[in-house]
Amino acid sequence: MNTAQSFAIPKVVLRLLIIFVIIQLLRSALPPDWDAYLLSLLGFNPFRAGGFHVQWLYGAVTSVFVHGGWWHLISNAIWMIVVSPQILRHIEGRRYLTLFVLTGASGALVHAVVNWGENAILIGASGAVFGLLGAGAFVLIRGEDGFSRPSWRDILKYILVIMLVNVGYAFLSGGKVSWEAHAGGFFAGMVLFPFLRRTR
């Protein structure tokens, strides 16, 4: 394998990133009022007009593809590019996409439950990125000797580190980052990955 091939972005990841970029370019080109409308249409906020409305739950999925700005998009893209190749060794393109979307949606729903009644729009693929890290509990770490399969103790250490990073990141952001969505996506990734993983 040559250097160009070894650093190639997997097709399913590239397609997701293209969708992210197109939506962000559209948001950048739209007048503020239209951008706000698009954000309300694609973002996740089931608590509108003073109550819970089930028809807005679709936003748990669509919000994964919308970002708060270019830096938000780029940071998620970097994590996807770094982590995804390890995940794709064990799940195919469609299964990867299923994992990505479901963990992102799960993170959004967990955020809504923990912050019940909060009238605010949630956007971004961060929950899905943490879903990839949750799947990484099975493929990114090894036992203490660096070669063997991780024990439950190793996995618990991994979870603790990721959650500390999650809470610390949310704290440093001044409340602009949803640690709840990250945690929801992470644990959804841990639960879903064994079911989506290819049979040996």
Side-chain angles (χ1 to χ4, degrees):
M1 181 179 293
N2 59 40
T3 303
Q5 289 176 326
S6 62
F7 286 99
I9 300 174
K11 288 183 180 180
V12 64
V13 177
L14 183 60
R15 288 168 183 165
L16 282 170
L17 294 180
I18 289 173
I19 294 172
F20 294 169
V21 169
I22 289 174
I23 292 176
Q24 189 59 38
L25 285 171
L26 179 61
R27 289 195 61 202
S28 300
L30 288 174
D33 290 346
W34 289 22
D35 177 50
Y37 175 74
L38 180 65
L39 196 63
S40 68
L41 191 65
L42 298 180
F44 179 62
N45 180 17
F47 306 104
R48 309 186 190 204
F52 173 79
H53 300 279
V54 68
Q55 67 267 27
W56 295 109
L57 287 178
Y58 75 86
V61 173
T62 56
S63 63
V64 174
F65 301 92
V66 189
H67 289 81
W70 287 107
W71 285 115
H72 187 198
L73 191 158
I74 290 170
S75 64
N76 281 334
I78 291 172
W79 278 105
M80 289 170 63
I81 291 170
V82 171
V83 177
S84 295
Q86 305 300 322
I87 307 301
L88 284 164
R89 292 180 180 180
H90 302 271
I91 60 177
E92 299 171 353
R94 290 183 179 179
R95 295 187 181 192
Y96 172 92
L97 183 60
T98 299
L99 176 74
F100 192 85
V101 172
L102 288 183
T103 54
S106 297
L109 293 172
V110 169
H111 173 89
V113 170
V114 175
N115 300 279
W116 191 262
E118 181 183 58
N119 184 10
I121 296 176
L122 181 72
I123 55 174
S126 302
V129 168
F130 269 79
L132 297 179
L133 292 172
F138 300 95
V139 298
L140 294 179
I141 60 175
R142 297 292 182 268
E144 293 183 357
D145 59 6
F147 298 98
S148 61
R149 290 183 181 181
S151 64
W152 279 107
R153 186 176 180 179
D154 298 320
I155 292 176
L156 288 174
K157 288 180 181 178
Y158 176 77
I159 294 172
L160 179 61
V161 169
I162 296 297
M163 287 300 104
L164 286 174
V165 171
N166 176 29
V167 174
Y169 183 46
F171 177 78
L172 292 175
S173 74
K176 295 180 180 180
V177 171
S178 173
W179 67 266
E180 304 95 330
H182 293 174
F186 178 85
F187 289 108
M190 288 192 67
V191 171
L192 291 172
F193 181 77
F195 294 99
L196 294 171
R197 191 174 192 171
R198 289 197 305 264
T199 304
R200 289 182 180 274

Short mmCIF file of all heavy atoms in Angstrom, two decimals, residues 28-59:
data_model
loop_
_atom_site.label_atom_id
_atom_site.label_comp_id
_atom_site.label_asym_id
_atom_site.label_seq_id
_atom_site.Cartn_x
_atom_site.Cartn_y
_atom_site.Cartn_z
N SER A 28 -24.06 29.50 5.14
CA SER A 28 -23.24 30.70 5.01
C SER A 28 -23.76 31.63 3.92
O SER A 28 -23.58 32.85 4.01
CB SER A 28 -21.79 30.30 4.68
OG SER A 28 -21.24 29.48 5.70
N ALA A 29 -24.41 31.06 2.89
CA ALA A 29 -24.89 31.85 1.77
C ALA A 29 -26.27 32.45 2.01
O ALA A 29 -26.64 33.44 1.37
CB ALA A 29 -24.91 30.99 0.50
N LEU A 30 -27.03 31.87 2.93
CA LEU A 30 -28.40 32.32 3.15
C LEU A 30 -28.45 33.61 3.96
O LEU A 30 -27.59 33.85 4.82
CB LEU A 30 -29.20 31.24 3.89
CG LEU A 30 -29.58 29.99 3.10
CD1 LEU A 30 -30.24 28.97 4.03
CD2 LEU A 30 -30.52 30.34 1.95
N PRO A 31 -29.46 34.44 3.73
CA PRO A 31 -29.69 35.60 4.61
C PRO A 31 -29.97 35.10 6.03
O PRO A 31 -30.43 33.96 6.22
CB PRO A 31 -30.93 36.27 4.00
CG PRO A 31 -30.99 35.76 2.60
CD PRO A 31 -30.44 34.38 2.62
N PRO A 32 -29.71 35.92 7.04
CA PRO A 32 -29.88 35.49 8.44
C PRO A 32 -31.25 34.90 8.76
O PRO A 32 -31.34 33.90 9.47
CB PRO A 32 -29.64 36.78 9.24
CG PRO A 32 -28.71 37.58 8.36
CD PRO A 32 -29.14 37.27 6.95
N ASP A 33 -32.31 35.50 8.23
CA ASP A 33 -33.65 35.00 8.52
C ASP A 33 -33.86 33.61 7.94
O ASP A 33 -34.47 32.74 8.58
CB ASP A 33 -34.72 35.96 7.97
CG ASP A 33 -34.76 37.26 8.74
OD1 ASP A 33 -34.17 37.32 9.84
OD2 ASP A 33 -35.37 38.22 8.25
N TRP A 34 -33.38 33.39 6.73
CA TRP A 34 -33.52 32.09 6.08
C TRP A 34 -32.66 31.04 6.77
O TRP A 34 -33.05 29.88 6.90
CB TRP A 34 -33.16 32.20 4.61
CG TRP A 34 -34.16 32.96 3.78
CD1 TRP A 34 -35.08 33.87 4.24
CD2 TRP A 34 -34.34 32.87 2.37
NE1 TRP A 34 -35.81 34.36 3.19
CE2 TRP A 34 -35.38 33.77 2.04
CE3 TRP A 34 -33.71 32.16 1.35
CZ2 TRP A 34 -35.82 33.95 0.74
CZ3 TRP A 34 -34.14 32.33 0.05
CH2 TRP A 34 -35.18 33.22 -0.25
N ASP A 35 -31.46 31.48 7.20
CA ASP A 35 -30.58 30.55 7.91
C ASP A 35 -31.22 30.12 9.22
O ASP A 35 -31.16 28.95 9.60
CB ASP A 35 -29.23 31.22 8.17
CG ASP A 35 -28.31 30.35 8.98
OD1 ASP A 35 -28.13 29.16 8.63
OD2 ASP A 35 -27.75 30.83 10.00
N ALA A 36 -31.84 31.06 9.91
CA ALA A 36 -32.52 30.74 11.17
C ALA A 36 -33.66 29.75 10.92
O ALA A 36 -33.89 28.84 11.73
CB ALA A 36 -33.05 32.01 11.82
N TYR A 37 -34.38 29.94 9.81
CA TYR A 37 -35.46 29.01 9.48
C TYR A 37 -34.91 27.62 9.18
O TYR A 37 -35.46 26.61 9.65
CB TYR A 37 -36.24 29.53 8.27
CG TYR A 37 -37.30 28.58 7.79
CD1 TYR A 37 -38.49 28.42 8.50
CD2 TYR A 37 -37.10 27.81 6.63
CE1 TYR A 37 -39.46 27.53 8.07
CE2 TYR A 37 -38.07 26.93 6.20
CZ TYR A 37 -39.24 26.79 6.92
OH TYR A 37 -40.20 25.89 6.49
N LEU A 38 -33.82 27.56 8.41
CA LEU A 38 -33.21 26.26 8.09
C LEU A 38 -32.72 25.58 9.37
O LEU A 38 -32.89 24.37 9.53
CB LEU A 38 -32.03 26.46 7.12
CG LEU A 38 -31.30 25.19 6.69
CD1 LEU A 38 -32.21 24.28 5.87
CD2 LEU A 38 -30.04 25.54 5.89
N LEU A 39 -32.15 26.36 10.27
CA LEU A 39 -31.66 25.82 11.53
C LEU A 39 -32.81 25.26 12.37
O LEU A 39 -32.70 24.18 12.96
CB LEU A 39 -30.93 26.92 12.31
CG LEU A 39 -30.04 26.47 13.47
CD1 LEU A 39 -28.91 25.60 12.96
CD2 LEU A 39 -29.49 27.69 14.20
N SER A 40 -33.92 25.97 12.39
CA SER A 40 -35.08 25.48 13.15
C SER A 40 -35.69 24.24 12.50
O SER A 40 -36.28 23.40 13.18
CB SER A 40 -36.13 26.58 13.28
OG SER A 40 -36.71 26.87 12.01
N LEU A 41 -35.53 24.14 11.17
CA LEU A 41 -36.11 23.01 10.44
C LEU A 41 -35.27 21.75 10.62
O LEU A 41 -35.81 20.65 10.78
CB LEU A 41 -36.21 23.36 8.95
CG LEU A 41 -37.01 22.41 8.05
CD1 LEU A 41 -38.48 22.42 8.44
CD2 LEU A 41 -36.84 22.80 6.60
N LEU A 42 -33.95 21.89 10.62
CA LEU A 42 -33.06 20.73 10.69
C LEU A 42 -32.53 20.46 12.08
O LEU A 42 -32.12 19.34 12.38
CB LEU A 42 -31.87 20.93 9.73
CG LEU A 42 -32.18 21.07 8.25
CD1 LEU A 42 -30.90 21.27 7.44
CD2 LEU A 42 -32.94 19.85 7.74
N GLY A 43 -32.51 21.47 12.94
CA GLY A 43 -32.00 21.28 14.30
C GLY A 43 -32.97 20.48 15.16
O GLY A 43 -34.13 20.26 14.79
N PHE A 44 -32.49 20.06 16.32
CA PHE A 44 -33.31 19.25 17.22
C PHE A 44 -33.79 20.08 18.39
O PHE A 44 -32.99 20.57 19.20
CB PHE A 44 -32.51 18.05 17.73
CG PHE A 44 -33.28 17.17 18.69
CD1 PHE A 44 -34.43 16.52 18.27
CD2 PHE A 44 -32.87 17.01 20.01
CE1 PHE A 44 -35.15 15.70 19.15
CE2 PHE A 44 -33.57 16.20 20.88
CZ PHE A 44 -34.71 15.55 20.46
N ASN A 45 -35.09 20.26 18.47
CA ASN A 45 -35.72 20.95 19.59
C ASN A 45 -37.19 20.54 19.67
O ASN A 45 -38.04 21.14 19.02
CB ASN A 45 -35.62 22.47 19.44
CG ASN A 45 -36.27 23.20 20.59
OD1 ASN A 45 -36.53 22.63 21.65
ND2 ASN A 45 -36.57 24.48 20.40
N PRO A 46 -37.50 19.50 20.44
CA PRO A 46 -38.89 19.05 20.54
C PRO A 46 -39.74 19.91 21.47
O PRO A 46 -40.94 19.68 21.58
CB PRO A 46 -38.75 17.62 21.09
CG PRO A 46 -37.51 17.66 21.91
CD PRO A 46 -36.58 18.63 21.20
N PHE A 47 -39.12 20.89 22.13
CA PHE A 47 -39.85 21.72 23.09
C PHE A 47 -40.07 23.11 22.51
O PHE A 47 -39.32 24.04 22.76
CB PHE A 47 -39.08 21.80 24.41
CG PHE A 47 -38.73 20.46 24.99
CD1 PHE A 47 -37.44 19.97 24.89
CD2 PHE A 47 -39.70 19.69 25.62
CE1 PHE A 47 -37.13 18.72 25.42
CE2 PHE A 47 -39.39 18.45 26.15
CZ PHE A 47 -38.10 17.96 26.05
N ARG A 48 -41.09 23.21 21.70
CA ARG A 48 -41.41 24.48 21.06
C ARG A 48 -42.82 24.89 21.45
O ARG A 48 -43.66 24.07 21.75
CB ARG A 48 -41.29 24.37 19.54
CG ARG A 48 -39.96 23.75 19.10
CD ARG A 48 -39.79 23.79 17.60
NE ARG A 48 -38.64 22.99 17.18
CZ ARG A 48 -37.97 23.17 16.06
NH1 ARG A 48 -38.35 24.13 15.23
NH2 ARG A 48 -36.94 22.41 15.75
N ALA A 49 -43.04 26.20 21.42
CA ALA A 49 -44.36 26.74 21.75
C ALA A 49 -44.83 26.28 23.13
O ALA A 49 -46.00 25.97 23.34
CB ALA A 49 -45.39 26.36 20.68
N GLY A 50 -43.89 26.19 24.06
CA GLY A 50 -44.25 25.92 25.44
C GLY A 50 -44.55 24.49 25.81
O GLY A 50 -45.10 24.24 26.88
N GLY A 51 -44.23 23.52 24.96
CA GLY A 51 -44.51 22.13 25.30
C GLY A 51 -43.73 21.16 24.43
O GLY A 51 -43.01 21.56 23.52
N PHE A 52 -43.90 19.87 24.73
CA PHE A 52 -43.25 18.82 23.96
C PHE A 52 -44.10 18.46 22.75
O PHE A 52 -45.32 18.25 22.87
CB PHE A 52 -43.07 17.58 24.85
CG PHE A 52 -42.54 16.38 24.10
CD1 PHE A 52 -41.20 16.27 23.80
CD2 PHE A 52 -43.40 15.37 23.70
CE1 PHE A 52 -40.71 15.17 23.11
CE2 PHE A 52 -42.93 14.26 23.02
CZ PHE A 52 -41.58 14.16 22.72
N HIS A 53 -43.46 18.39 21.58
CA HIS A 53 -44.17 18.10 20.35
C HIS A 53 -43.46 16.96 19.62
O HIS A 53 -42.31 17.10 19.18
CB HIS A 53 -44.25 19.33 19.45
CG HIS A 53 -44.96 20.48 20.08
ND1 HIS A 53 -46.32 20.59 20.12
CD2 HIS A 53 -44.47 21.57 20.74
CE1 HIS A 53 -46.68 21.69 20.75
NE2 HIS A 53 -45.57 22.31 21.15
N VAL A 54 -44.13 15.83 19.50
CA VAL A 54 -43.51 14.63 18.95
C VAL A 54 -43.10 14.79 17.50
O VAL A 54 -42.16 14.14 17.03
CB VAL A 54 -44.47 13.42 19.11
CG1 VAL A 54 -45.70 13.57 18.22
CG2 VAL A 54 -43.76 12.10 18.83
N GLN A 55 -43.76 15.67 16.75
CA GLN A 55 -43.45 15.82 15.33
C GLN A 55 -42.05 16.39 15.09
O GLN A 55 -41.52 16.28 13.99
CB GLN A 55 -44.49 16.70 14.63
CG GLN A 55 -44.52 18.15 15.05
CD GLN A 55 -45.51 18.41 16.16
OE1 GLN A 55 -45.82 17.51 16.95
NE2 GLN A 55 -46.02 19.63 16.22
N TRP A 56 -41.44 16.98 16.12
CA TRP A 56 -40.11 17.53 15.96
C TRP A 56 -39.00 16.54 16.30
O TRP A 56 -37.82 16.89 16.23
CB TRP A 56 -39.95 18.79 16.82
CG TRP A 56 -40.82 19.92 16.42
CD1 TRP A 56 -41.91 20.41 17.08
CD2 TRP A 56 -40.69 20.73 15.25
NE1 TRP A 56 -42.47 21.46 16.42
CE2 TRP A 56 -41.74 21.68 15.27
CE3 TRP A 56 -39.80 20.74 14.17
CZ2 TRP A 56 -41.91 22.62 14.27
CZ3 TRP A 56 -39.98 21.68 13.18
CH2 TRP A 56 -41.01 22.61 13.23
N LEU A 57 -39.37 15.32 16.64
CA LEU A 57 -38.36 14.33 17.00
C LEU A 57 -37.46 13.94 15.84
O LEU A 57 -36.34 13.45 16.04
CB LEU A 57 -39.03 13.07 17.59
CG LEU A 57 -39.62 13.20 18.99
CD1 LEU A 57 -40.30 11.90 19.41
CD2 LEU A 57 -38.54 13.59 20.00
N TYR A 58 -37.94 14.14 14.60
CA TYR A 58 -37.10 13.82 13.43
C TYR A 58 -35.79 14.60 13.46
O TYR A 58 -34.78 14.18 12.90
CB TYR A 58 -37.85 14.12 12.13
CG TYR A 58 -37.95 15.60 11.81
CD1 TYR A 58 -36.92 16.25 11.12
CD2 TYR A 58 -39.06 16.33 12.19
CE1 TYR A 58 -37.01 17.59 10.82
CE2 TYR A 58 -39.15 17.68 11.90
CZ TYR A 58 -38.13 18.31 11.22
OH TYR A 58 -38.21 19.65 10.95
N GLY A 59 -35.81 15.73 14.17
CA GLY A 59 -34.61 16.55 14.27
C GLY A 59 -33.46 15.86 14.97
O GLY A 59 -32.30 16.27 14.82
#
